[in-house]
Amino acid sequence: MDTGSPHLRWMEEAMTMAEEALAAGEVPVGCVFVREGSIIARARNRTNELRNATRHAELEAIDSILRDKELTSTISKYPLSNTMLYVTVEPCMMCASALRQMGIKEVYYGCGNDRFGGCGSVLGVNEMLDHPSHPPYRAIGGYLREEAILILRRFYITENTNAPVPKSKANRVLKTEILP
């Protein structure tokens, strides 16, 4: 990655939101939406807080964009066509599909999502699947990848009191080695 890249600046903002999610007891995923060189929305996962599995960071931010009449002053089939997303973890299949339906321009993410990834890790909702009307979008991973993995590991070694049947994690140790 180009360390002077503006992408890293936006990804650092997304990591701030992931830290906020971690502090709130959520899976630490954060994102920012950028349009014309400025952040227009920022969000974090709120699935535990709202007791709703669809309240991923990306969908929380999309909701705030659509509510803001200044950001979406005209009704458009693709309200995110001039917007980029920076998210700490590859969007899941649900979010990748929503982003495609909204016409997102590009997605930049930290680490892959080997269980639910919708931008190629599991399923290429973003551009590999044909769709009769929604245009594909480019998704590029690897921005602050190690930091994204470590914050997820920090969450997964803690007790999740919001889980239906919490698993004891008293003997877990934070792994800091990250393989390529």
Side-chain angles (χ1 to χ4, degrees), residues 1 12 14-15 21 48 62 73 77 89 98 100 102 105 132 136 146 152 158:
M1 296 292 129
E12 287 169 356
M15 285 300 301
N48 292 332
I62 288 171
S73 57
K77 184 174 181 180
V89 178
R100 188 160 180 183
M102 301 296 287
K105 182 178 180 179
E146 291 80 11
L152 288 169
T158 63

Side-chain angles (χ1 to χ4, degrees), residues 31-86:
C31 71
V32 295
F33 282 76
V34 175
R35 184 182 291 163
E36 297 174 4
S38 297
I39 294 174
I40 62 167
R42 60 181 76 231
R44 62 172 177 81
N45 275 3
R46 295 179 64 205
T47 57
N48 292 332
E49 175 186 341
L50 299 175
R51 301 179 67 191
N52 182 338
T54 68
R55 300 319 330 167
H56 290 193
E58 300 94 325
L59 298 182
E60 285 286 301
I62 288 171
D63 284 352
S64 73
I65 293 168
L66 295 177
R67 277 192 306 267
D68 188 328
K69 299 288 188 222
E70 290 183 24
L71 296 175
T72 53
S73 57
T74 59
I75 296 175
S76 164
K77 184 174 181 180
Y78 299 118
L80 300 179
S81 63
N82 61 349
T83 308
M84 295 180 293
L85 167 65
Y86 293 85

Side-chain angles (χ1 to χ4, degrees), residues 60-180:
E60 285 286 301
I62 288 171
D63 284 352
S64 73
I65 293 168
L66 295 177
R67 277 192 306 267
D68 188 328
K69 299 288 188 222
E70 290 183 24
L71 296 175
T72 53
S73 57
T74 59
I75 296 175
S76 164
K77 184 174 181 180
Y78 299 118
L80 300 179
S81 63
N82 61 349
T83 308
M84 295 180 293
L85 167 65
Y86 293 85
V87 61
T88 56
V89 178
E90 174 188 1
C92 71
M93 292 174 229
M94 172 183 70
C95 292
S97 178
L99 291 164
R100 188 160 180 183
Q101 291 174 50
M102 301 296 287
I104 192 80
K105 182 178 180 179
E106 293 176 325
V107 172
Y108 298 90
Y109 62 89
C111 63
N113 183 342
D114 294 338
R115 293 184 67 197
F116 307 109
C119 294
S121 290
V122 176
L123 190 63
V125 175
N126 63 312
E127 64 183 1
M128 293 176 199
L129 296 178
D130 288 334
H131 194 282
S133 62
H134 298 303
Y137 61 88
R138 192 170 69 139
I140 303 163
Y143 291 92
L144 299 185
R145 176 182 171 272
E146 291 80 11
E147 292 88 336
I149 291 170
L150 282 174
I151 195 170
L152 288 169
R153 286 181 181 173
R154 285 171 44 209
F155 173 79
Y156 284 113
I157 65 165
T158 63
E159 303 290 332
N160 182 358
T161 57
N162 297 307
V165 181
K167 296 176 184 172
S168 175
K169 298 181 183 177
N171 296 325
R172 292 208 177 167
V173 176
L174 178 63
K175 295 177 186 173
T176 57
E177 179 185 2
I178 298 174
L179 302 174

